[in-house]
Structures are given as C-alpha cells and as structure tokens.
Amino acid sequence: MCGIVGAVGFINPKEYIIEGLKKLEYRGYDSAGVAMLSDNTIKIIKDKGTIDHLATLLPECFDTDLAIGHTRWATHGAPNKTNSHPHISKSKKISIVHNGVIENYLDVKSFLNKHNYDFATSTDTEVVVNLIELFYEQNGDMLTALQKSMRILKGSYALCIINVDDPNSIYIMKNCSPLLIGACEDFTLVSSDAGAMTKYTDRFIELSDLEYGKIQKDKVEIYNINGQRVDKVATKKNLEDLEIDLNGYPHYMLKEIDEIENVIHKIISQYYVDDEFNFDKDLLSDMRRADNIIFIACGTSYHASLVGGRYFEVYNKSASIYFASEWAFHPTFPGNKPFVILISQSGETADVIHCQKIINEHKIPHLVITNTDGSTLQRNAMYYLLLYAGREISVASTKAYVAQVALLAILSRALGDIKQVITDLYKCIDIIRDIRYHWQDKIKDIAMQIKDIKDVFYLGRGYDYFMALEASLKLKEISYIHSEAFAGGEIKHGPIALIEQGMPVIIFITDPEITHSIRGNVEEVKARGAKTFTIARDSLSRETDTIIIQEYPSYLSSVAVSPFAFYLAYYVSLFKGYNVDKPRNLAKSVTVE
Ligand code: M6R
C-alpha cells in the first residue's frame, strides 16, 4: 500500500519524483524517500513524514538522470526513517523501492542469514533487495537475478531497482501490485499509478503479474517468469480521467462532496439511455436467474452493499452481505443459483481481490462495481460496471459511495424495468442541492458542538440504519472521535448503557413506516441525558428537529441524505485542525490484506 516512482534518462528528475510522489500520497503517507545514482554511488535521502517534508531535505537539483522514489504506508516495521524506502543491499550496490507485502519474507530472511546477510530494518523489502543482490553476485546478470528472485518470493510486489553497475537502467518486477511504465520522448518513467506521470505522457505500458524487466531512456524490455520476452505496446489513456486537481477547493473531500450531484447525473446518463436501462443483457439475465445475490466488499463499499442487498429483495431474491476480509477465509455461496457482486471504489482492495480469485475458481457468475477503469478487479471480472464518479482522492470515500448506491438502485430496478427510479434519483439531486446550499451553516454549527466530544452515536432504522453506519464511519475516520452507529431498536439491548449527560446522538428519521419507533428511540436516549440532533424528512418532521429534508422515497436515503453526514464529518475534522484528506493510519487504496 505504498506508491513508487522512477525516472531514467531524465536530467534532474526532482520535479517528477516529488510531484509524482505527491500524487501517490493516497496510497500511503507515513514516510518517504528517494534514491539517486551518480558517480557510481547510490545516494539515499529518506525520512518519516510527508512528501513535503522530504522535499525540504532534498538538494536544489538532482545531479543524475536516474532516480527512484517511494511514499510508504507501513506494513512491516514502524513508520520511521530506518524502515522507510528506498532500501539498499549489503554491498550498497543495489537499491530498491517496493509496494506490496512479501508473505514469505521470514523464510527468505533465514535463507539469506545462511549466506551471511544481516538486516538493519524490520521490513520485508530489505530482504528482497538482498535476495536480488545474492543472485546478481552469483551470475552477474540483473535480469537473471530478478527471474530467480521471482521464483522464490511469495506475495505482492511492484519493485523498482537500481544497480550501480548499470547506471542506464531501472529494473522492474511485478506481482499483484500495479506497475506502469510511462513512455516519453526523451526518457522513460515508471510508477504505481499513471496519475503520477500525466504531466509527461499519456501513453502507458502496464505490467502483468509475474513480469519483470528493465527500462532505459529509450527502451523497455519485459519478460515473463519463464524468461521469455513479452512484447507490449504503450496504450493511450484519457488524461482527464487521471488528472487530480483541487480546482480552488481547500480539500479534495469538500470538492468530492460537492461533486455528488454531477455524479448522479453522470451515472443516470450512462445507465439510462433513450428512456431505457442500458445494461449488458447477459448480466441482467444472469442476475434474473439468481436466487441469492451475494455482496462482498469492505468499509464504505460494504455499507453500500447493505443498501444494495435490500434493493434486490424486491424480486424475492435473498441477499447475503459479507466483509471481504471475513468471507475470504470462510467462503460460502448460499442459494441454489448465487450471483456475486463485488464492490470496490478503487478496484484494488486486496481483501476483495482475494475473494474474486476464489469466486473465479468456483466459476460463480459475478459482477464488479468499481470507480477505477483498468483496476485489477475490473480486469478479472466476469461483468463490470463503472461508477463514472471521477477520481476520488480524499481517503474518506464520499461521491463514490453515493454512486455505488445510485448504481445499485438503477441496476436492481432494471431487472423489473421499474423506471420510476430515475425520477426518484433526480429528486435526490434537489435534496443534495438543498443540503449544500441551505444547510451548510447549520451543519457547521453541529460540527462545532461535537468537535470536542469523546463519543458520538448515530441511530437509524431500516435504510436509515445503513446511512447511520456510513455516517459514523466517516466521522471516526477523519475526526478521530469515537463514533458508533446502531439500529434504533438495538440500543435498549446494551448500548444505551453508554449514554451520558450531553452525549451527542445523531438520528435519521426518513422512513414513514418506522417513524414512530425511531421517535421512541429519540425519547429513550434523551431521557438518559443525550443531546439529540435529528435529521428528519419534511412530512415526518417536528419543530424541534435539527435539519429538515425535503420529500424523497426512503429507499434512496443513502443517496439523498449522505451529503449531510459527509459535510458534518468534514467540518468536525477541519475545526479540529486535522488533515482532512489524509487521516492518520489510513490510505486510500488498501492493497494489503
Ligand atoms: O476501494 P474500496 O471501495 O474497496 O475501499 C474499501 C474501504 O477501504 C474504503 O471504503 C474505506 O472504508 C474508506 N476510507 C471509507 O471512507
């Protein structure tokens, strides 16, 4: 879950390395470093902290045309200077940056110990660089050393490797972590993400799993694990899809929440064309045939799955919803004709990828819903649907969540040709605009009231409960306030014991069928001293409610009301002075299990 960049043949590549790494900070940001090769020596500058901090340690100009860089999200070893990348081999001849996790690094470490290698760090990466060095010293050829290492290493890796004996090449190696080469006129780039290279090129070569090779100023060589040369041509990508710009906003999260209404327009325009649903016919018939829809996802995408599960019940189908990290170790396919939906904004979440492998092995039909065209999940999918939400940079997922729910609403209704869903979604856009333009001050006011509080509860029933789960995740993720969501009816079975005088409880009241019950829960927590904030639908509202939302169909609660929850989390984090887009300990793409 780290980001890597490299440049060869690029005179003074400082700007690319720093700007490229900044674009990769969504993959991790607890430490960073650069290795450069000049005068037969590898110079490494690295430290704990952000890319901005790293930039202050670097020389004005890089006296080299060959450099590699890294931004880290710690997996093995604390996020400190010693464990940060690049790492260097025992002889100081080879240096490496790594994204991924080497599962058998302890075995490899013991193997290397027997060859007189000692280790200065707690990382799996230091093991890799020394393994490559051992094989290089045995046969004097880097490509052979990579091939031999690939046969031994288990796990995920995207690697850039430099060697003082070959100042004209960056060696590369990949398995289960993305690695792309950027083809440019006078030099060659490499990175975990095309987005880091868009200033220089729109043509990219994507490495497949278990491929390795070397890049030079004007040449790319790629081989498969059997040592056979693989011919790959650079393909053009649409730079607009890759660009990431704040457009004057102070944070990506605020920009992305504000984009939600456009995201809904976009999704409607993709999946409802000329007054007809626009989906692959085979996908629809496979789904119609299924008697159980199995959802597998993580985090926010899991919350969207909870909503989606209920959407398919309209057709007398059952739904089973699982956390990917749980299902992967206890795979089960309930139903006689199961159909699986995997949801992942990034399309690179390791837990979900693990599940997809199992599903493909069992040949169960499945659909991937992702925001990332070209992602691993999409590439290995039987069917896929894109969210068209535009790139989401903030670690807190907002617009992608709304897109996931909106798409699930459209897809589920497409099974029965129920076109009302489109009108309903347009109605949600009005409500989203209302929250954005009329309720922001009120939301800021609530944020001020809860920002210094230790614990917050969210309550809801039915669709509002799913909304509450997502609202609560968002708050804890970026404000570090302990927050929990409960189904209204459950609080009296335990959690109500935690209510103390003045404790904020945020309650969603948008479903006419359960208003009476949730209002009862409001009274129960109030009676124990809670400070309640109620978000109610107009026709169900009371004068004492905190925020009143215009009318909309309850099944779209997560589309219409989620901007409230997102703005609230945003302002609490902002008022506490935290890094809204890059909360501590997290990363945008969770590419390790
Ligand atoms: O890319 P994915 O949708 O697979 O990511 C899943 C979770 O890691 C993600 O939703 C996470 O919970 C978000 N940071 C929540 O805002």
Side-chain angles (χ1 to χ4, degrees):
M1 241 167 63
C2 306
I4 59 183
V5 291
V8 54
F10 192 145
I11 315 280
N12 181 20
K14 179 176 176 181
E15 186 183 324
Y16 162 64
I17 297 286
I18 290 301
E19 293 308 317
L21 286 178
K22 278 177 114 166
K23 290 191 173 177
L24 298 178
E25 271 189 311
Y26 74 92
R27 304 178 68 86
Y29 39 80
D30 55 40
S31 51
V34 178
M36 309 167 223
L37 206 168
S38 62
D39 297 336
N40 260 345
T41 330
I42 293 175
K43 183 174 182 195
I44 294 180
I45 301 166
K46 61 182 186 177
D47 204 0
K48 181 177 177 177
T50 60
I51 310 300
D52 281 338
H53 169 64
L54 175 70
T56 64
L57 309 177
L58 297 174
E60 264 312 296
C61 141
F62 284 11
D63 183 20
T64 180
D65 69 348
L66 187 140
I68 54 177
H70 189 268
T71 180
R72 178 172 189 242
W73 187 87
T75 56
H76 294 69
N80 56 29
K81 181 173 173 173
T82 310
N83 289 332
S84 59
H85 301 216
H87 289 284
I88 194 147
S89 64
K90 185 176 151 193
S91 72
K92 310 261 179 276
K93 278 178 119 182
I94 300 178
S95 180
I96 192 171
V97 286
H98 169 212
N99 167 33
V101 173
I102 303 300
E103 287 160 13
N104 60 340
Y105 83 105
L106 288 175
D107 295 341
V108 182
K109 206 171 193 173
S110 318
F111 166 75
L112 288 169
N113 284 146
K114 289 180 197 135
H115 287 82
N116 298 323
Y117 278 89
D118 294 323
F119 297 89
T121 78
S122 334
T123 65
D124 49 348
T125 308
E126 195 189 5
V127 171
V128 178
V129 69
N130 284 307
L131 182 70
I132 294 170
E133 173 170 287
L134 175 72
F135 290 138
Y136 176 67
E137 283 183 348
Q138 286 174 354
N139 60 58
D141 178 55
M142 271 300 276
L143 288 172
T144 310
L146 297 191
Q147 188 194 10
K148 284 184 130 186
S149 304
M150 190 170 250
R151 290 190 184 280
I152 289 182
L153 296 172
K154 292 200 171 65
S156 57
Y157 47 83
L159 302 170
C160 289
I161 309 136
I162 55 176
N163 182 335
V164 286
D165 291 344
D166 185 355
N168 300 317
S169 306
I170 293 179
Y171 289 86
I172 51 179
M173 193 165 139
K174 171 206 148 62
N175 188 43
C176 297
S177 289
L179 194 62
L180 289 101
I181 297 161
C184 309
E185 276 293 294
D186 303 318
F187 48 86
T188 305
L189 305 177
V190 59
S191 175
S192 340
D193 187 328
M197 304 181 272
T198 49
K199 185 164 176 194
Y200 305 94
T201 185
D202 61 356
R203 292 183 309 117
F204 304 96
I205 298 171
E206 205 161 331
L207 259 72
S208 303
D209 285 346
L210 296 175
E211 285 182 348
Y212 65 97
K214 70 173 172 181
I215 59 169
Q216 294 178 321
K217 183 179 169 168
D218 47 10
K219 200 165 142 206
V220 172
E221 279 175 42
I222 301 172
Y223 301 87
N224 66 22
I225 190 164
N226 300 320
Q228 292 152 332
R229 182 88 183 249
V230 181
D231 281 328
K232 294 207 161 185
V233 282
T235 53
K236 217 172 148 121
K237 280 195 188 264
N238 181 356
L239 291 188
E240 258 180 36
D241 294 344
L242 302 170
E243 260 321 321
I244 37 182
D245 199 332
L246 272 169
N247 279 337
Y249 275 88
H251 299 103
Y252 286 107
M253 182 173 180
L254 187 61
K255 172 175 175 272
E256 288 160 5
I257 305 172
D258 283 355
E259 283 169 359
I260 287 175
E261 56 179 279
N262 288 336
V263 166
I264 300 175
H265 277 294
K266 180 90 183 181
I267 217 152
I268 294 176
S269 70
Q270 292 292 331
Y271 295 110
Y272 191 71
V273 177
D274 297 332
D275 295 333
E276 295 298 337
F277 289 109
N278 181 31
F279 291 104
D280 181 328
K281 289 197 173 37
D282 291 339
L283 165 66
L284 293 185
S285 52
D286 270 356
M287 292 193 75
R288 286 195 186 102
R289 255 196 303 274
D291 62 347
N292 187 41
I293 310 286
I294 300 172
F295 287 84
I296 300 175
C298 305
T300 287
S301 300
Y302 172 80
H303 293 155
S305 306
L306 292 172
V307 183
R310 204 155 277 192
Y311 288 166
F312 289 94
E313 288 169 2
V314 177
Y315 305 103
N316 289 327
K317 292 184 193 303
S318 50
S320 313
I321 297 116
Y322 299 100
F323 290 118
S325 53
E326 288 293 314
W327 189 90
F329 298 97
H330 183 65
T332 163
F333 295 99
N336 293 322
K337 289 198 184 93
F339 183 94
V340 183
I341 300 184
L342 299 170
I343 306 185
S344 172
Q345 185 285 129
S346 61
E348 298 293 348
T349 299
D351 291 313
V352 187
I353 292 171
H354 183 167
C355 296
Q356 187 183 44
K357 284 186 182 142
I358 298 171
I359 292 157
N360 279 335
E361 274 160 25
H362 283 79
K363 299 194 170 37
I364 303 289
H366 81 276
L367 162 70
V368 165
I369 294 183
T370 182
N371 195 30
T372 314
D373 198 6
S375 59
T376 305
L377 281 171
Q378 182 209 21
R379 287 200 309 271
N380 297 319
M382 178 166 183
Y383 301 106
Y384 69 84
L385 296 173
L386 293 174
L387 294 168
Y388 299 105
R391 192 127 185 228
E392 194 179 65
I393 302 296
S394 181
V395 165
S397 183
T398 56
K399 60 178 180 174
Y401 168 75
V402 176
Q404 287 165 351
V405 177
L407 175 53
L408 288 167
I410 300 175
L411 176 64
S412 61
R413 271 41 185 182
L415 294 190
D417 204 26
I418 305 169
K419 293 178 174 157
Q420 176 64 31
V421 64
I422 303 300
T423 317
D424 292 347
L425 281 169
Y426 280 124
K427 182 70 210 155
C428 290
I429 293 175
D430 294 342
I431 290 150
I432 289 162
R433 292 177 64 82
D434 191 41
I435 294 175
R436 177 174 174 187
Y437 295 112
H438 298 120
W439 289 104
Q440 291 249 5
D441 286 346
K442 187 74 198 174
I443 296 171
K444 285 183 193 164
D445 178 50
I446 305 172
M448 282 309 279
Q449 294 186 57
I450 67 172
K451 80 179 184 51
D452 297 317
I453 298 275
K454 224 167 86 266
D455 310 284
V456 172
F457 275 6
Y458 283 86
L459 298 185
R461 284 174 178 249
Y463 286 111
D464 285 345
Y465 167 52
F466 302 147
M467 179 67 250
L469 285 169
E470 175 55 14
S472 172
L473 173 63
K474 217 91 306 176
L475 185 72
K476 63 167 78 105
E477 183 178 25
I478 59 169
S479 76
Y480 318 146
I481 290 176
H482 169 241
S483 157
E484 297 210 45
F486 298 103
E490 276 299 298
I491 49 160
K492 57 184 172 297
H493 298 291
I496 200 163
L498 294 170
I499 302 279
E500 287 178 355
Q501 196 61 35
M503 179 176 164
V505 180
I506 299 167
I507 307 128
F508 297 102
I509 309 172
T510 76
D511 187 340
E513 283 178 32
I514 35 187
T515 306
H516 180 71
S517 317
I518 192 79
R519 286 281 180 203
N521 300 137
V522 176
E523 294 313 316
E524 285 160 11
V525 294
K526 257 182 160 169
R528 272 89 187 166
K531 181 171 189 174
T532 56
F533 298 92
T534 45
I535 295 84
R537 214 166 99 180
D538 200 8
S539 59
L540 313 174
S541 67
R542 294 182 181 169
E543 245 178 43
T544 49
D545 286 327
T546 320
I547 289 198
I548 296 170
I549 309 273
Q550 297 165 24
E551 289 302 292
Y552 70 93
S554 312
Y555 74 100
L556 291 175
S557 183
S558 289
V559 175
V561 188
S562 59
F564 157 79
F566 298 156
Y567 285 127
L568 180 63
Y570 171 78
Y571 287 118
V572 173
S573 176
L574 185 75
F575 295 159
K576 293 184 86 166
Y578 293 149
N579 188 339
V580 177
D581 287 330
K582 292 184 203 131
R584 69 183 179 202
N585 302 340
L586 295 173
K588 183 69 181 163
S589 252
V590 185
T591 55
V592 291
E593 281 184 44

